[in-house]
Amino acid sequence: MEIKSLSRTILICLTTLYTALFIILSLWQYYKTYTLKHEYLYESEKLRALEARCNSEDTMSAETKEMIHFLKNTKHLPRNIVKDILEVLEPENRVGKDLHKRQTTSSLHAMFQQLLTMQESILEQHCTSSNGTVCSRGSKGQPGAKGTKGPHGLSGVKGNQGIQGDKGLPSLNGLVGDPGYQGPLGPPGDKGQRGLPGLRGSPGMKGEKGLRGDIGDPVIMGLKGEPGSQGLTGSKGDIGLNGPPGLTGAKGFKGQLGEIGQKGDQGPKGPDGKVLDEDCACKLKQQSRSNQGIQVGSKNIVIDCKNSTGLFGLVTWMKDSSSLDPRVKLSSDKHQLTIPDVLPNDQGNYTCFINGRKISTYELKVKGITQYNCDFEAGDICLWKQVPSDNFDWISHRAETTSTATGPSYDHTIGNVRGTYLYIETSSHNQNEYADLVSPLMTGNQDRCLSLWYHMFGSDIDQLEIGIIQKNQTPANYLVLQVLSGDQGFQWNRMNVTLSSTSDFEVSIRGYKGKGYHGDIAIDDIIVYDGKCQN
């Protein structure tokens, strides 16, 4: 099938090629015919012009003039042919004109031109002679003898190979032949080699127990001997070594603070101090000049060091001969310091220096310091206590917690890894279990404000509750005052809760474990002062 398809394709290509060659040859023949036709018209007009000149050498006949006018106005003949005929007919162009200027490129064209030129020459000789009598057209002659057949033309150039035809459609698969007949049996093969010896078989089963033998003859038993005499008492052994010392007992809770003593008598007046310029002392802003001190929990307290000494240079500050707490902020020129929120440990003397020279000192007094306040920096929980009725305890810690993506990086009091805070570790325990931190007993019928800082960051944060436990009640029956739930951001936040009760009570800070270990809750800087909380 493929061979037939290929043959058909070759045949189509050859037919197309022959058709193209035939069209090309037909066009070439038409072109030659058209060219010879115009050359014939050209030579005929020249002959007519010569005949007209034979009738009158010096004068131009009306017929010639009419022909010249026709040639100048005709649009049917090529311009080069018209130009050549006019050169012959016009009087100023009759003498000395060469009628054989054009050159030909093909042998057939040259043959016709040579024939016509010879005829023109003969007519010119007769027309210009003295007895020129051959001017009129003679009678039609007899047809000439048939010319001999020309030589056979050269073979044409071989055409380019045709474009390959489209691939034929695949033929259908032939039908499956019938199965062949089974051949005769072959001769038996050679005997194989002897196989390897088989594995050793398992041991056989244990045989049955044999029959019991006959009982032997009885032997007469001997008499029992007399008991021996008692031995002598041994000497006393050496004293044993002392045992290891027992473990040290747990540290007891700190006792409650005693009652505030009575105010002492006023001391004698001291000697007069050195008089300084009135602008030399560093003072608090107007709202901070109370002789009774600054209330604990106050915000943005500013101490200003006004320099009237004329000194310029590096400004430094110290508190009680130590560096400032990292929470304290300094202005760009370091002439002012700001305490963002006053804590009990902010109380002390703040001294301003310029180039190491002491300029002035201001004593900051903090009021509202009570036995309930605790910043956990001593490593304990002050007078607060863990209770056995909860599920686990609050943990004292520094720096980051043991779990990732939860808990603070440092405490609130100092603001670096040296500071201490409390937190609940949620990588163990069960969901909804909690830890309680309980305050000392507070007297009722008096409003108080509980202020503390908390850190609640993590995807599994549950909630932090503040409540009060009435006297003679258990933590399980406490009154909830405020609740915070969910992630509160990666920063320390402040909470103020007003405490009010008609009877004595304790404050409970309760932290719950969430569904996962990314739920550490931390607290720091607990402050309790008299009066309701202020915004």
Side-chain angles (χ1 to χ4, degrees):
M1 294 295 292
E2 292 182 356
I3 296 176
K4 289 182 179 181
S5 177
L6 180 62
S7 300
R8 188 182 299 109
T9 302
I10 294 174
L11 180 60
I12 293 173
C13 291
L14 291 176
T15 304
T16 304
L17 179 61
Y18 292 154
T19 303
L21 291 176
F22 176 79
I23 293 172
I24 293 172
L25 290 175
S26 298
L27 292 175
W28 181 82
Q29 185 176 5
Y30 173 79
Y31 169 76
K32 287 298 182 181
T33 305
Y34 178 82
T35 304
L36 290 175
K37 179 180 179 180
H38 281 282
E39 287 181 352
Y40 172 77
L41 292 174
Y42 167 74
E43 297 298 339
S44 298
E45 292 299 331
K46 290 182 71 174
L47 286 176
R48 291 180 59 187
L50 289 176
E51 289 177 353
R53 288 175 59 188
C54 288
N55 295 329
S56 176
E57 291 183 356
D58 298 329
T59 62
M60 185 180 298
S61 63
E63 184 179 1
T64 302
K65 292 180 180 181
E66 182 180 357
M67 183 177 296
I68 292 174
H69 180 267
F70 169 78
L71 292 174
K72 286 183 177 182
N73 296 317
T74 185
K75 296 181 180 180
H76 302 286
L77 295 177
R79 299 307 303 171
N80 56 347
I81 296 177
V82 172
K83 183 179 178 181
D84 291 342
I85 296 175
L86 289 176
E87 286 178 354
V88 176
L89 296 179
E90 291 179 345
E92 60 270 24
N93 297 325
R94 289 182 182 179
V95 181
K97 294 294 181 179
D98 185 12
L99 301 178
H100 310 289
K101 290 182 178 180
R102 294 197 303 163
Q103 297 180 355
T104 60
T105 56
S106 65
S107 58
L108 184 61
H109 180 265
M111 180 182 67
F112 277 95
Q113 185 174 6
Q114 185 178 4
L115 177 62
L116 294 173
T117 302
M118 291 175 62
Q119 292 178 357
E120 292 172 4
S121 300
I122 295 171
L123 288 173
E124 287 181 352
Q125 291 177 5
H126 284 280
C127 289
T128 54
S129 62
S130 57
N131 57 351
T133 58
V134 186
C135 290
S136 61
R137 182 176 297 180
S139 60
K140 185 176 182 180
Q142 296 293 329
K146 185 177 181 181
T148 58
K149 185 177 180 180
H152 193 274
L154 300 176
S155 301
V157 181
K158 184 177 181 180
N160 297 326
Q161 183 176 355
I163 301 174
Q164 183 176 354
D166 298 333
K167 186 175 181 181
L169 298 174
S171 61
L172 300 175
N173 294 329
L175 299 176
V176 179
D178 297 331
Y181 297 105
Q182 183 176 357
L185 294 175
D190 298 333
K191 185 177 181 180
Q193 297 179 357
R194 183 176 182 180
L196 298 175
L199 299 175
R200 184 176 181 181
S202 301
M205 299 177 62
K206 185 176 181 181
E208 296 179 357
K209 187 176 181 181
L211 298 177
R212 184 175 182 179
D214 297 334
I215 298 174
D217 296 333
V219 178
I220 299 173
M221 183 178 297
L223 298 175
K224 183 177 181 180
E226 297 290 337
S229 60
Q230 184 177 356
L232 300 176
T233 303
S235 60
K236 186 177 181 180
D238 298 331
I239 299 174
L241 299 175
N242 293 330
L247 300 174
T248 304
K251 184 178 179 180
F253 295 109
K254 183 184 292 186
Q256 296 185 356
L257 293 177
E259 297 181 357
I260 300 175
Q262 296 180 356
K263 185 176 182 181
D265 297 332
Q266 184 175 354
K269 183 179 180 180
D272 295 335
K274 184 178 179 180
V275 178
L276 299 176
D277 294 336
E278 61 180 6
D279 293 333
C280 185
C282 295
K283 301 177 182 178
L284 287 174
K285 289 191 174 180
Q286 187 65 33
Q287 73 271 18
S288 305
R289 289 183 176 179
S290 173
N291 293 330
Q292 298 178 356
I294 304 302
Q295 176 66 47
V296 64
S298 299
K299 290 188 175 184
N300 298 325
I301 301 302
V302 179
I303 301 178
D304 190 3
C305 179
K306 293 183 179 179
N307 178 21
S308 60
T309 62
L311 292 176
F312 296 94
L314 178 64
V315 179
T316 55
W317 290 82
M318 295 191 72
K319 175 183 176 292
D320 297 333
S321 302
S322 300
S323 59
L324 295 177
D325 193 298
R327 296 183 302 108
V328 176
K329 309 299 181 184
L330 293 176
S331 61
S332 58
D333 59 1
K334 295 183 172 51
H335 281 78
Q336 288 184 343
L337 62 83
T338 302
I339 303 175
D341 50 275
V342 177
L343 300 176
N345 61 350
D346 290 327
Q347 180 170 280
N349 294 319
Y350 291 83
T351 305
C352 173
F353 299 86
I354 296 182
N355 292 336
R357 177 180 172 181
K358 180 179 178 181
I359 301 301
S360 60
T361 300
Y362 181 82
E363 181 182 7
L364 176 63
K365 296 180 180 180
V366 178
K367 67 177 183 178
I369 299 177
T370 65
Q371 60 179 334
Y372 313 113
N373 300 344
C374 191
D375 57 14
F376 310 111
E377 294 305 320
D380 56 13
I381 57 175
C382 305
L383 298 182
W384 293 69
K385 58 186 177 181
Q386 312 269 13
V387 293
S389 58
D390 57 6
N391 303 112
F392 55 94
D393 290 339
W394 291 85
I395 301 174
S396 178
H397 192 71
R398 293 179 178 178
E400 296 179 346
T401 62
T402 57
S403 302
T404 59
T406 187
S409 298
Y410 44 79
D411 82 326
H412 175 262
T413 310
I414 299 179
N416 57 37
V417 295
R418 298 194 305 272
T420 308
Y421 59 91
L422 294 187
Y423 86 106
I424 57 172
E425 175 57 54
T426 57
S427 59
S428 57
H429 314 298
N430 299 320
Q431 187 175 2
N432 297 327
E433 291 184 342
Y434 60 88
D436 274 333
L437 186 67
V438 179
S439 72
L441 188 66
M442 301 183 186
T443 58
N445 295 319
Q446 180 182 356
D447 290 333
R448 291 181 175 84
C449 180
L450 169 68
S451 174
L452 63 86
W453 290 82
Y454 64 90
H455 194 288
M456 299 172 65
F457 169 70
S459 58
D460 299 324
I461 292 291
D462 196 338
Q463 64 183 29
L464 177 66
E465 290 182 352
I466 307 298
I468 58 175
I469 307 169
Q470 302 291 344
K471 187 177 181 180
N472 299 325
Q473 296 291 326
T474 62
N477 300 320
Y478 81 122
L479 175 64
V480 178
L481 300 180
Q482 187 163 335
V483 178
L484 288 174
S485 301
D487 190 333
Q488 302 293 319
F490 188 66
Q491 72 279 332
W492 285 98
N493 303 294
R494 189 175 184 177
M495 173 194 294
N496 292 326
V497 182
T498 298
L499 308 175
S500 181
S501 176
T502 58
S503 60
D504 296 348
F505 63 93
E506 296 172 316
V507 177
S508 174
I509 303 175
R510 176 175 293 182
Y512 284 88
K513 181 193 182 307
K515 62 181 179 180
Y517 67 91
H518 294 123
D520 296 350
I521 300 175
I523 58 174
D524 200 3
D525 293 326
I526 300 175
I527 301 172
V528 178
Y529 54 88
D530 294 339
K532 293 183 178 181
C533 298
Q534 303 295 325
N535 293 332

